[in-house]
PDB file of all heavy atoms in Angstrom:
ATOM      1  N   ALA A 431      -6.628   3.655  -1.238  1.00 84.00           N
ATOM      2  CA  ALA A 431      -7.082   4.092   0.039  1.00 84.00           C
ATOM      3  C   ALA A 431      -6.157   3.592   1.152  1.00 84.00           C
ATOM      4  O   ALA A 431      -5.823   4.293   2.073  1.00 84.00           O
ATOM      5  CB  ALA A 431      -8.594   3.841   0.355  1.00 84.00           C
ATOM      6  N   THR A 432      -5.859   2.392   1.015  1.00 85.00           N
ATOM      7  CA  THR A 432      -4.915   1.722   1.966  1.00 85.00           C
ATOM      8  C   THR A 432      -3.573   2.296   1.942  1.00 85.00           C
ATOM      9  O   THR A 432      -2.938   2.575   3.015  1.00 85.00           O
ATOM     10  CB  THR A 432      -4.784   0.219   1.761  1.00 85.00           C
ATOM     11  OG1 THR A 432      -6.141  -0.431   1.777  1.00 85.00           O
ATOM     12  CG2 THR A 432      -3.961  -0.514   2.808  1.00 85.00           C
ATOM     13  N   LEU A 433      -3.131   2.504   0.794  1.00 76.00           N
ATOM     14  CA  LEU A 433      -1.710   3.006   0.561  1.00 76.00           C
ATOM     15  C   LEU A 433      -1.576   4.479   1.135  1.00 76.00           C
ATOM     16  O   LEU A 433      -0.685   4.965   1.647  1.00 76.00           O
ATOM     17  CB  LEU A 433      -1.286   3.012  -0.893  1.00 76.00           C
ATOM     18  CG  LEU A 433      -0.996   1.668  -1.508  1.00 76.00           C
ATOM     19  CD1 LEU A 433      -0.752   1.851  -3.018  1.00 76.00           C
ATOM     20  CD2 LEU A 433       0.183   1.085  -0.817  1.00 76.00           C
ATOM     21  N   GLY A 434      -2.772   5.133   0.962  1.00 66.00           N
ATOM     22  CA  GLY A 434      -2.808   6.671   1.483  1.00 66.00           C
ATOM     23  C   GLY A 434      -3.463   6.839   2.793  1.00 66.00           C
ATOM     24  O   GLY A 434      -4.021   7.911   2.945  1.00 66.00           O
ATOM     25  N   ALA A 435      -3.475   5.682   3.522  1.00 54.00           N
ATOM     26  CA  ALA A 435      -4.161   5.836   4.858  1.00 54.00           C
ATOM     27  C   ALA A 435      -3.695   6.814   5.722  1.00 54.00           C
ATOM     28  O   ALA A 435      -4.432   7.502   6.506  1.00 54.00           O
ATOM     29  CB  ALA A 435      -4.143   4.495   5.606  1.00 54.00           C
ATOM     30  N   GLY A 436      -2.394   7.205   5.645  1.00 53.00           N
ATOM     31  CA  GLY A 436      -1.755   8.261   6.419  1.00 53.00           C
ATOM     32  C   GLY A 436      -1.886   9.684   5.886  1.00 53.00           C
ATOM     33  O   GLY A 436      -1.409  10.544   6.449  1.00 53.00           O
ATOM     34  N   TRP A 437      -2.472   9.772   4.713  1.00 63.00           N
ATOM     35  CA  TRP A 437      -2.626  11.087   4.027  1.00 63.00           C
ATOM     36  C   TRP A 437      -4.073  11.467   4.120  1.00 63.00           C
ATOM     37  O   TRP A 437      -4.883  10.663   3.390  1.00 63.00           O
ATOM     38  CB  TRP A 437      -2.114  11.013   2.624  1.00 63.00           C
ATOM     39  CG  TRP A 437      -2.184  12.303   1.776  1.00 63.00           C
ATOM     40  CD1 TRP A 437      -1.457  13.453   2.061  1.00 63.00           C
ATOM     41  CD2 TRP A 437      -3.051  12.497   0.817  1.00 63.00           C
ATOM     42  NE1 TRP A 437      -1.669  14.455   1.196  1.00 63.00           N
ATOM     43  CE2 TRP A 437      -2.802  13.768   0.324  1.00 63.00           C
ATOM     44  CE3 TRP A 437      -4.052  11.835   0.166  1.00 63.00           C
ATOM     45  CZ2 TRP A 437      -3.521  14.426  -0.655  1.00 63.00           C
ATOM     46  CZ3 TRP A 437      -4.740  12.487  -0.871  1.00 63.00           C
ATOM     47  CH2 TRP A 437      -4.452  13.767  -1.358  1.00 63.00           C
ATOM     48  N   PRO A 438      -4.470  12.647   4.582  1.00 67.00           N
ATOM     49  CA  PRO A 438      -5.880  13.001   4.659  1.00 67.00           C
ATOM     50  C   PRO A 438      -6.554  13.189   3.301  1.00 67.00           C
ATOM     51  O   PRO A 438      -6.088  14.192   2.622  1.00 67.00           O
ATOM     52  CB  PRO A 438      -5.923  14.185   5.626  1.00 67.00           C
ATOM     53  CG  PRO A 438      -4.457  14.744   5.347  1.00 67.00           C
ATOM     54  CD  PRO A 438      -3.641  13.532   5.234  1.00 67.00           C
ATOM     55  N   ALA A 439      -7.488  12.528   2.905  1.00 72.00           N
ATOM     56  CA  ALA A 439      -8.140  12.748   1.677  1.00 72.00           C
ATOM     57  C   ALA A 439      -9.504  12.214   1.654  1.00 72.00           C
ATOM     58  O   ALA A 439      -9.686  11.118   2.352  1.00 72.00           O
ATOM     59  CB  ALA A 439      -7.411  12.095   0.449  1.00 72.00           C
ATOM     60  N   PRO A 440     -10.511  12.829   1.102  1.00 79.00           N
ATOM     61  CA  PRO A 440     -11.891  12.331   1.113  1.00 79.00           C
ATOM     62  C   PRO A 440     -11.849  11.050   0.274  1.00 79.00           C
ATOM     63  O   PRO A 440     -11.144  10.811  -0.645  1.00 79.00           O
ATOM     64  CB  PRO A 440     -12.698  13.501   0.386  1.00 79.00           C
ATOM     65  CG  PRO A 440     -11.750  14.232  -0.372  1.00 79.00           C
ATOM     66  CD  PRO A 440     -10.443  14.068   0.382  1.00 79.00           C
ATOM     67  N   ARG A 441     -12.865  10.247   0.506  1.00 82.00           N
ATOM     68  CA  ARG A 441     -13.069   8.936  -0.115  1.00 82.00           C
ATOM     69  C   ARG A 441     -13.193   9.068  -1.732  1.00 82.00           C
ATOM     70  O   ARG A 441     -12.602   8.201  -2.489  1.00 82.00           O
ATOM     71  CB  ARG A 441     -14.251   8.052   0.447  1.00 82.00           C
ATOM     72  CG  ARG A 441     -14.118   6.590  -0.026  1.00 82.00           C
ATOM     73  CD  ARG A 441     -12.995   5.866   0.602  1.00 82.00           C
ATOM     74  NE  ARG A 441     -13.074   4.515   0.120  1.00 82.00           N
ATOM     75  CZ  ARG A 441     -12.220   3.691   0.674  1.00 82.00           C
ATOM     76  NH1 ARG A 441     -11.325   3.953   1.603  1.00 82.00           N
ATOM     77  NH2 ARG A 441     -12.272   2.297   0.264  1.00 82.00           N
ATOM     78  N   TRP A 442     -13.842  10.018  -2.142  1.00 86.00           N
ATOM     79  CA  TRP A 442     -14.084  10.313  -3.600  1.00 86.00           C
ATOM     80  C   TRP A 442     -12.779  10.463  -4.294  1.00 86.00           C
ATOM     81  O   TRP A 442     -12.660  10.002  -5.414  1.00 86.00           O
ATOM     82  CB  TRP A 442     -14.912  11.385  -3.886  1.00 86.00           C
ATOM     83  CG  TRP A 442     -14.325  12.763  -3.391  1.00 86.00           C
ATOM     84  CD1 TRP A 442     -14.762  13.423  -2.287  1.00 86.00           C
ATOM     85  CD2 TRP A 442     -13.504  13.512  -4.099  1.00 86.00           C
ATOM     86  NE1 TRP A 442     -13.997  14.593  -2.296  1.00 86.00           N
ATOM     87  CE2 TRP A 442     -13.307  14.698  -3.328  1.00 86.00           C
ATOM     88  CE3 TRP A 442     -12.771  13.373  -5.380  1.00 86.00           C
ATOM     89  CZ2 TRP A 442     -12.352  15.694  -3.812  1.00 86.00           C
ATOM     90  CZ3 TRP A 442     -11.876  14.314  -5.701  1.00 86.00           C
ATOM     91  CH2 TRP A 442     -11.665  15.538  -5.040  1.00 86.00           C
ATOM     92  N   TYR A 443     -11.785  10.924  -3.554  1.00 84.00           N
ATOM     93  CA  TYR A 443     -10.366  11.092  -4.181  1.00 84.00           C
ATOM     94  C   TYR A 443      -9.920   9.771  -4.694  1.00 84.00           C
ATOM     95  O   TYR A 443      -9.339   9.751  -5.925  1.00 84.00           O
ATOM     96  CB  TYR A 443      -9.486  11.707  -3.262  1.00 84.00           C
ATOM     97  CG  TYR A 443      -8.116  12.063  -3.675  1.00 84.00           C
ATOM     98  CD1 TYR A 443      -7.750  13.216  -4.247  1.00 84.00           C
ATOM     99  CD2 TYR A 443      -7.061  11.030  -3.584  1.00 84.00           C
ATOM    100  CE1 TYR A 443      -6.477  13.429  -4.692  1.00 84.00           C
ATOM    101  CE2 TYR A 443      -5.814  11.284  -3.998  1.00 84.00           C
ATOM    102  CZ  TYR A 443      -5.466  12.426  -4.552  1.00 84.00           C
ATOM    103  OH  TYR A 443      -4.192  12.601  -4.911  1.00 84.00           O
ATOM    104  N   PHE A 444     -10.027   8.696  -3.907  1.00 86.00           N
ATOM    105  CA  PHE A 444      -9.465   7.489  -4.360  1.00 86.00           C
ATOM    106  C   PHE A 444     -10.226   6.718  -5.345  1.00 86.00           C
ATOM    107  O   PHE A 444      -9.773   6.174  -6.246  1.00 86.00           O
ATOM    108  CB  PHE A 444      -9.264   6.537  -3.061  1.00 86.00           C
ATOM    109  CG  PHE A 444      -8.328   7.088  -1.925  1.00 86.00           C
ATOM    110  CD1 PHE A 444      -8.769   7.776  -0.861  1.00 86.00           C
ATOM    111  CD2 PHE A 444      -6.984   7.205  -2.274  1.00 86.00           C
ATOM    112  CE1 PHE A 444      -8.090   8.142   0.135  1.00 86.00           C
ATOM    113  CE2 PHE A 444      -6.147   7.786  -1.286  1.00 86.00           C
ATOM    114  CZ  PHE A 444      -6.606   8.283  -0.080  1.00 86.00           C
ATOM    115  N   TRP A 445     -11.563   6.987  -5.326  1.00 90.00           N
ATOM    116  CA  TRP A 445     -12.467   6.513  -6.416  1.00 90.00           C
ATOM    117  C   TRP A 445     -12.079   7.065  -7.874  1.00 90.00           C
ATOM    118  O   TRP A 445     -11.968   6.442  -8.688  1.00 90.00           O
ATOM    119  CB  TRP A 445     -13.883   6.720  -6.083  1.00 90.00           C
ATOM    120  CG  TRP A 445     -14.502   5.759  -5.141  1.00 90.00           C
ATOM    121  CD1 TRP A 445     -14.678   6.056  -3.754  1.00 90.00           C
ATOM    122  CD2 TRP A 445     -14.933   4.470  -5.329  1.00 90.00           C
ATOM    123  NE1 TRP A 445     -15.288   4.885  -3.181  1.00 90.00           N
ATOM    124  CE2 TRP A 445     -15.429   3.983  -4.025  1.00 90.00           C
ATOM    125  CE3 TRP A 445     -15.073   3.665  -6.460  1.00 90.00           C
ATOM    126  CZ2 TRP A 445     -16.001   2.588  -3.964  1.00 90.00           C
ATOM    127  CZ3 TRP A 445     -15.548   2.364  -6.333  1.00 90.00           C
ATOM    128  CH2 TRP A 445     -15.990   1.860  -5.129  1.00 90.00           C
ATOM    129  N   ALA A 446     -11.961   8.395  -7.753  1.00 89.00           N
ATOM    130  CA  ALA A 446     -11.526   9.153  -8.958  1.00 89.00           C
ATOM    131  C   ALA A 446     -10.265   8.741  -9.406  1.00 89.00           C
ATOM    132  O   ALA A 446     -10.067   8.413 -10.676  1.00 89.00           O
ATOM    133  CB  ALA A 446     -11.473  10.675  -8.659  1.00 89.00           C
ATOM    134  N   ASP A 447      -9.293   8.472  -8.594  1.00 84.00           N
ATOM    135  CA  ASP A 447      -7.863   8.168  -8.946  1.00 84.00           C
ATOM    136  C   ASP A 447      -7.907   6.738  -9.534  1.00 84.00           C
ATOM    137  O   ASP A 447      -7.207   6.381 -10.569  1.00 84.00           O
ATOM    138  CB  ASP A 447      -6.986   8.235  -7.891  1.00 84.00           C
ATOM    139  CG  ASP A 447      -5.469   8.497  -8.224  1.00 84.00           C
ATOM    140  OD1 ASP A 447      -5.212   8.845  -9.476  1.00 84.00           O
ATOM    141  OD2 ASP A 447      -4.588   8.361  -7.407  1.00 84.00           O
ATOM    142  N   ALA A 448      -8.796   5.810  -9.000  1.00 89.00           N
ATOM    143  CA  ALA A 448      -8.872   4.476  -9.403  1.00 89.00           C
ATOM    144  C   ALA A 448      -9.460   4.428 -10.759  1.00 89.00           C
ATOM    145  O   ALA A 448      -9.110   3.540 -11.576  1.00 89.00           O
ATOM    146  CB  ALA A 448      -9.758   3.713  -8.410  1.00 89.00           C
ATOM    147  N   TRP A 449     -10.523   5.297 -11.070  1.00 91.00           N
ATOM    148  CA  TRP A 449     -11.103   5.348 -12.376  1.00 91.00           C
ATOM    149  C   TRP A 449     -10.139   5.796 -13.373  1.00 91.00           C
ATOM    150  O   TRP A 449      -9.944   5.212 -14.575  1.00 91.00           O
ATOM    151  CB  TRP A 449     -12.340   6.275 -12.414  1.00 91.00           C
ATOM    152  CG  TRP A 449     -12.712   6.624 -13.785  1.00 91.00           C
ATOM    153  CD1 TRP A 449     -12.684   7.841 -14.396  1.00 91.00           C
ATOM    154  CD2 TRP A 449     -13.013   5.725 -14.959  1.00 91.00           C
ATOM    155  NE1 TRP A 449     -13.041   7.804 -15.656  1.00 91.00           N
ATOM    156  CE2 TRP A 449     -13.252   6.571 -16.073  1.00 91.00           C
ATOM    157  CE3 TRP A 449     -13.193   4.358 -14.999  1.00 91.00           C
ATOM    158  CZ2 TRP A 449     -13.649   6.045 -17.303  1.00 91.00           C
ATOM    159  CZ3 TRP A 449     -13.577   3.870 -16.375  1.00 91.00           C
ATOM    160  CH2 TRP A 449     -13.788   4.648 -17.376  1.00 91.00           C
ATOM    161  N   ILE A 450      -9.308   6.861 -13.149  1.00 87.00           N
ATOM    162  CA  ILE A 450      -8.284   7.221 -14.057  1.00 87.00           C
ATOM    163  C   ILE A 450      -7.306   6.201 -14.281  1.00 87.00           C
ATOM    164  O   ILE A 450      -6.928   5.860 -15.479  1.00 87.00           O
ATOM    165  CB  ILE A 450      -7.503   8.452 -13.380  1.00 87.00           C
ATOM    166  CG1 ILE A 450      -8.424   9.653 -13.267  1.00 87.00           C
ATOM    167  CG2 ILE A 450      -6.285   8.815 -14.240  1.00 87.00           C
ATOM    168  CD1 ILE A 450      -7.889  10.781 -12.575  1.00 87.00           C
ATOM    169  N   PHE A 451      -6.819   5.397 -13.198  1.00 87.00           N
ATOM    170  CA  PHE A 451      -5.903   4.263 -13.453  1.00 87.00           C
ATOM    171  C   PHE A 451      -6.500   3.221 -14.397  1.00 87.00           C
ATOM    172  O   PHE A 451      -5.939   2.756 -15.348  1.00 87.00           O
ATOM    173  CB  PHE A 451      -5.680   3.755 -12.031  1.00 87.00           C
ATOM    174  CG  PHE A 451      -4.850   2.509 -12.082  1.00 87.00           C
ATOM    175  CD1 PHE A 451      -3.372   2.744 -12.154  1.00 87.00           C
ATOM    176  CD2 PHE A 451      -5.177   1.202 -11.975  1.00 87.00           C
ATOM    177  CE1 PHE A 451      -2.633   1.600 -12.248  1.00 87.00           C
ATOM    178  CE2 PHE A 451      -4.396   0.143 -11.923  1.00 87.00           C
ATOM    179  CZ  PHE A 451      -2.929   0.276 -12.043  1.00 87.00           C
ATOM    180  N   MET A 452      -7.705   2.762 -14.005  1.00 92.00           N
ATOM    181  CA  MET A 452      -8.351   1.650 -14.790  1.00 92.00           C
ATOM    182  C   MET A 452      -8.685   2.107 -16.210  1.00 92.00           C
ATOM    183  O   MET A 452      -8.461   1.372 -17.093  1.00 92.00           O
ATOM    184  CB  MET A 452      -9.580   1.142 -14.148  1.00 92.00           C
ATOM    185  CG  MET A 452      -9.229   0.180 -12.864  1.00 92.00           C
ATOM    186  SD  MET A 452      -8.154  -1.234 -13.238  1.00 92.00           S
ATOM    187  CE  MET A 452      -9.102  -1.972 -14.580  1.00 92.00           C
ATOM    188  N   GLY A 453      -9.363   3.241 -16.324  1.00 92.00           N
ATOM    189  CA  GLY A 453      -9.720   3.777 -17.623  1.00 92.00           C
ATOM    190  C   GLY A 453      -8.470   3.998 -18.526  1.00 92.00           C
ATOM    191  O   GLY A 453      -8.616   3.645 -19.687  1.00 92.00           O
ATOM    192  N   SER A 454      -7.463   4.480 -17.991  1.00 88.00           N
ATOM    193  CA  SER A 454      -6.308   4.639 -18.741  1.00 88.00           C
ATOM    194  C   SER A 454      -5.666   3.332 -19.384  1.00 88.00           C
ATOM    195  O   SER A 454      -5.337   3.131 -20.442  1.00 88.00           O
ATOM    196  CB  SER A 454      -5.143   5.275 -17.948  1.00 88.00           C
ATOM    197  OG  SER A 454      -5.587   6.607 -17.545  1.00 88.00           O
ATOM    198  N   LEU A 455      -5.601   2.292 -18.510  1.00 91.00           N
ATOM    199  CA  LEU A 455      -5.251   0.954 -18.979  1.00 91.00           C
ATOM    200  C   LEU A 455      -6.044   0.319 -19.951  1.00 91.00           C
ATOM    201  O   LEU A 455      -5.656  -0.187 -20.968  1.00 91.00           O
ATOM    202  CB  LEU A 455      -5.119  -0.001 -17.684  1.00 91.00           C
ATOM    203  CG  LEU A 455      -4.083   0.275 -16.669  1.00 91.00           C
ATOM    204  CD1 LEU A 455      -4.070  -0.790 -15.572  1.00 91.00           C
ATOM    205  CD2 LEU A 455      -2.631   0.508 -17.185  1.00 91.00           C
ATOM    206  N   LEU A 456      -7.353   0.466 -19.684  1.00 94.00           N
ATOM    207  CA  LEU A 456      -8.307  -0.101 -20.674  1.00 94.00           C
ATOM    208  C   LEU A 456      -8.271   0.680 -22.002  1.00 94.00           C
ATOM    209  O   LEU A 456      -8.426  -0.003 -23.005  1.00 94.00           O
ATOM    210  CB  LEU A 456      -9.833  -0.058 -20.099  1.00 94.00           C
ATOM    211  CG  LEU A 456      -9.966  -1.096 -18.896  1.00 94.00           C
ATOM    212  CD1 LEU A 456     -11.432  -0.849 -18.300  1.00 94.00           C
ATOM    213  CD2 LEU A 456      -9.749  -2.479 -19.374  1.00 94.00           C
ATOM    214  N   ALA A 457      -8.146   1.965 -21.942  1.00 93.00           N
ATOM    215  CA  ALA A 457      -7.997   2.790 -23.202  1.00 93.00           C
ATOM    216  C   ALA A 457      -6.720   2.297 -23.959  1.00 93.00           C
ATOM    217  O   ALA A 457      -6.848   2.129 -25.193  1.00 93.00           O
ATOM    218  CB  ALA A 457      -7.934   4.250 -22.851  1.00 93.00           C
ATOM    219  N   THR A 458      -5.685   2.170 -23.275  1.00 93.00           N
ATOM    220  CA  THR A 458      -4.505   1.756 -23.952  1.00 93.00           C
ATOM    221  C   THR A 458      -4.557   0.331 -24.642  1.00 93.00           C
ATOM    222  O   THR A 458      -4.071   0.093 -25.692  1.00 93.00           O
ATOM    223  CB  THR A 458      -3.175   1.730 -22.931  1.00 93.00           C
ATOM    224  OG1 THR A 458      -3.174   3.003 -22.350  1.00 93.00           O
ATOM    225  CG2 THR A 458      -1.923   1.477 -23.682  1.00 93.00           C
TER     226      THR A 458
END
């Protein structure tokens, strides 16, 4: 969310992207 502060996106977008990030790492 901090990195994308200048890019308009709903908050859920960053939560979803964060889950994909963490889930992918944990799965690997």
Side-chain angles (χ1 to χ4, degrees):
T432 300
L433 291 175
W437 180 71
R441 191 67 181 189
W442 63 260
Y443 177 92
F444 299 108
W445 282 100
D447 209 14
W449 162 242
I450 293 172
F451 178 83
M452 286 303 304
S454 299
L455 292 185
L456 292 176
T458 306

